[in-house]
Amino acid sequence: MSSWKTISRASLLAALLGGTALAQDPIEVERLDVLDPLEVGLPGAAMSNRLWAGTDRAMAQAVLSRLPAAEGEGYSSETLAEIARSVLVSGGRPPAGGRGDAALAALRIDRLLAAAGADDTFDLLERTPGVNRTPALARWHAELAFATGNADRACRTADAMTQGREDAYWLRVRAYCLALDGRDGAAELTAELARSQEPDAGFEARLFAIMLDTPLDADAPAADTGLEWAMSRALHAPGEPAPAVDETAPAWLREVGHHGMERRSSSSEDPMALFVAAGSMDGMERHHALEEVIAQGYDRELAGQALGLMLADTGGGARFVHVARHHGREIETVPITRVTLEHGYEIALAALLVGETGLAHEWRDALVNGPARPQPAPGLAPAGPDMDGKPSAAGEPAPMSLPPQPEWTPPSPRRMVALDMAIAIAGDDLRGGTYEAVQAAWFESHGPAVAADMLALTRLGAPTPEGLRPMLLAQEAAAAPAGLAAMDAAVRADARGEAALLAISVLADPAAAGNADATARAIAALDAAGLRRAALSVLLERVVRSAL
């Protein structure tokens, strides 16, 4: 028998056996040399590469779909968004049956964009191989490249596209890239092809303004895509008002536009003059002036005053958390003095929100005991009833005296109890006599408003305070958020990525706000999924909000 016949028969047998195998349970065959998009991660990942263990493709898609989407308004809690980011940037083995699933990879990118914004999501796509071979990922890559000021990367992706190159979006991208390269004739022809499929007045107005080197018409529509935002920035002249992002654009693009706004020139060489001027300002002008005072390095006491004012201006709530998370790192270099302690309570809470528990302790102690007393210079002696003055030795001239210090008044007991409770949660110090006394005082002073938080704390190991059970029994039943039972099942199955994302989706659901049991179970699910620090951070944000 010839070798060719032998090979043919062997191939036929292999085909028959393969057909038999396909008729049975599907077996996933992996190519070890190809990196799946779900295996790509970023620094700051919270979960191991086994985050999808115990979850199949269909369940992973259903779970991801429950998270806030990029086209929506995002998360109402920055802490929860950060937790979602830490899970979604975790790279690992795809769920069973999900290797090579382009739709699943694109869904992860969409949900990451809602949680983390344009920069992190673009970074993840930059690390992902073969983006140009997956139309959904390629479009996200181009949009985010344009939005983050990386037009050259978007143009490379457009050139390397293997599918959908003639879609209107990609024709517009190539037209803009051609215009950037000075090839106006080719850009105009490519734009005409896009127009024949789908007119876009905003894009066309920007493209022709760029090619003609003229300002954008005042009546041109505001940018509502990353591509149009990049074109608006290319047309923007220094000193002109910042280009606008359409109010109907997704939240992530509006955030890009907000950070892309130009601020007036800094006056940080004279921070005191800027600080005084901020007193007569309001709105974002005041906010930006205080930011400049906070950032300057000439007078850190003044920076602390500016930070205290900015925190107080928020009135609490989500805005306080936002300012604290964005400026709390400055607290490390702010001295604790009588003037900075005027907003020391807010500064201590802000320190906790950025993980500076030790600094929060220092500010807490200063709030109780008052600022450090000034030390007398050589030739001076303390004076006054509070300064432990001593008489001069016989025959020596009486030294000059420091003036007595004003009496210090600590914050109210209610405020100090709330601060102590926040410090305990931040430090995961939920046991012991001191903690139990603080917890009892906090629960007594806040009552039913913190029932959900108190229940969650007991699920994390804190003792149950007297009166909690009757309080929970007396509360009216509230509608449970969707996914709660599935979350509990995922916890029991040790499907950690699935459980964590379902917990995030429950906490992001407005229905959870009125359901103490749902909130507590979701926070406990984060702990069970290996994210105890995340669970505590959710509670910390809630306690800080209630403390203001």
Side-chain angles (χ1 to χ4, degrees):
M1 182 181 296
S2 72
S3 59
W4 288 111
K5 287 183 179 179
T6 302
I7 292 172
S8 297
R9 287 178 180 179
S11 299
L12 178 60
L13 179 60
L16 290 172
L17 289 175
T20 303
L22 289 173
Q24 299 171 0
D25 293 336
I27 298 175
E28 185 176 1
V29 179
E30 299 181 5
R31 286 183 56 186
L32 299 180
D33 60 328
V34 177
L35 191 66
D36 189 88
L38 293 181
E39 292 175 309
V40 181
L42 287 180
M47 308 203 77
S48 74
N49 62 3
R50 290 184 51 79
L51 76 159
W52 291 115
T55 303
D56 63 19
R57 186 208 66 81
M59 190 63 183
Q61 183 175 32
V63 168
L64 287 168
S65 297
R66 289 188 174 275
L67 298 175
E71 289 299 313
E73 290 302 311
Y75 290 78
S76 60
S77 162
E78 288 193 21
T79 299
L80 192 59
E82 177 60 28
I83 296 169
R85 184 250 180 222
S86 72
V87 176
L88 291 167
V89 301
S90 301
R93 181 188 176 98
R99 180 169 292 277
D101 190 312
L104 191 61
L107 183 58
R108 176 206 187 191
I109 291 296
D110 181 282
R111 286 351 188 216
L112 176 61
L113 182 55
D119 289 314
D120 276 346
T121 311
F122 175 65
D123 190 6
L124 184 68
L125 285 168
E126 279 282 278
R127 299 165 186 247
T128 303
V131 163
N132 60 296
R133 295 191 296 272
T134 306
L137 294 182
R139 179 155 181 168
W140 274 128
H141 180 264
E143 273 290 279
L144 295 172
F146 283 130
T148 56
N150 294 282
D152 59 324
R153 304 299 300 163
C155 293
R156 290 184 194 179
T157 295
D159 289 340
M161 281 289 294
T162 59
Q163 301 177 45
R165 289 177 55 84
E166 304 310 314
D167 291 349
Y169 175 78
W170 291 111
L171 289 169
R172 286 194 289 270
V173 169
R174 289 205 299 278
Y176 176 47
C177 294
L178 288 165
L180 289 177
D181 201 32
R183 300 161 65 185
D184 290 354
E188 187 172 356
L189 288 173
T190 306
E192 180 59 37
L193 290 174
R195 187 185 308 116
S196 67
Q197 289 188 39
E198 180 184 81
D200 188 326
F203 169 79
E204 292 160 15
R206 287 169 174 79
L207 181 67
F208 287 110
I210 289 170
M211 292 192 299
L212 298 173
D213 195 20
T214 60
L216 182 63
D217 288 343
D219 59 352
D224 61 2
T225 66
L227 170 58
E228 290 185 359
W229 168 249
M231 298 173 81
S232 295
R233 292 292 290 172
L235 289 164
H236 181 247
E240 292 183 352
V245 173
D246 194 275
E247 61 182 14
T248 63
W252 70 265
L253 184 57
R254 298 200 306 273
E255 185 69 12
V256 168
H258 171 73
H259 288 299
M261 292 173 64
E262 288 189 349
R263 296 177 186 170
R264 62 186 181 84
S265 59
S266 173
S267 304
S268 58
E269 290 186 1
D270 190 357
M272 177 58 77
L274 185 57
F275 180 75
V276 172
S280 60
M281 300 174 185
D282 54 22
M284 292 308 296
E285 184 183 23
R286 173 182 168 91
H287 180 85
H288 290 156
L290 291 174
E291 276 187 325
E292 291 179 23
V293 178
I294 292 168
Q296 54 81 31
Y298 298 99
D299 187 340
R300 296 309 296 162
E301 183 180 62
L302 190 64
Q305 289 180 268
L307 176 59
L309 284 178
M310 187 184 290
L311 290 168
D313 284 350
T314 65
R319 185 65 185 163
F320 179 92
V321 175
H322 174 81
V323 171
R325 288 172 60 89
H326 283 72
H327 299 286
R329 297 295 176 190
E330 302 282 352
I331 298 171
E332 184 178 5
T333 59
V334 171
I336 301 176
T337 66
R338 183 170 291 273
V339 292
T340 58
L341 278 173
E342 290 178 8
H343 293 290
Y345 181 72
E346 291 85 354
I347 290 175
L349 291 173
L352 291 172
L353 289 172
V354 294
E356 296 287 357
T357 308
L359 280 178
H361 268 290
E362 292 178 21
W363 283 84
R364 183 261 180 210
D365 291 344
L367 285 168
V368 173
N369 301 318
R373 297 190 182 279
Q375 298 299 313
L380 297 180
D386 298 330
M387 303 298 287
D388 298 323
K390 296 180 180 179
S392 302
E396 292 184 5
M400 297 176 62
S401 299
L402 287 175
Q405 296 297 301
E407 184 178 354
W408 176 252
T409 304
S412 68
R414 177 185 171 92
R415 282 198 151 199
M416 292 309 302
V417 164
L419 178 56
D420 283 343
M421 190 68 186
I423 289 173
I425 292 170
D428 196 5
D429 185 12
L430 307 182
R431 285 284 181 182
T434 301
Y435 168 77
E436 290 186 24
V438 170
Q439 176 185 275
W442 176 73
F443 184 54
E444 181 181 358
S445 64
H446 288 77
V450 298
D453 306 325
M454 195 65 259
L455 182 59
L457 283 164
T458 65
R459 290 176 181 263
L460 296 184
T464 302
E466 185 178 353
L468 176 62
R469 298 198 308 275
M471 181 182 293
L472 293 171
L473 187 62
Q475 287 186 343
E476 294 184 10
L484 196 59
M487 177 193 73
D488 289 341
V491 169
R492 289 192 295 272
D494 200 29
R496 295 199 167 194
E498 180 183 324
L501 291 175
L502 282 170
I504 293 166
S505 72
V506 167
L507 292 169
D509 189 335
N515 191 311
D517 180 57
T519 299
R521 283 160 64 183
I523 291 172
L526 289 174
D527 184 29
L531 303 178
R532 184 171 181 84
R533 292 307 315 172
L536 289 167
S537 70
V538 171
L539 269 171
L540 176 62
E541 182 186 281
R542 292 173 62 89
V543 170
V544 167
R545 287 197 188 194
S546 69
L548 294 165

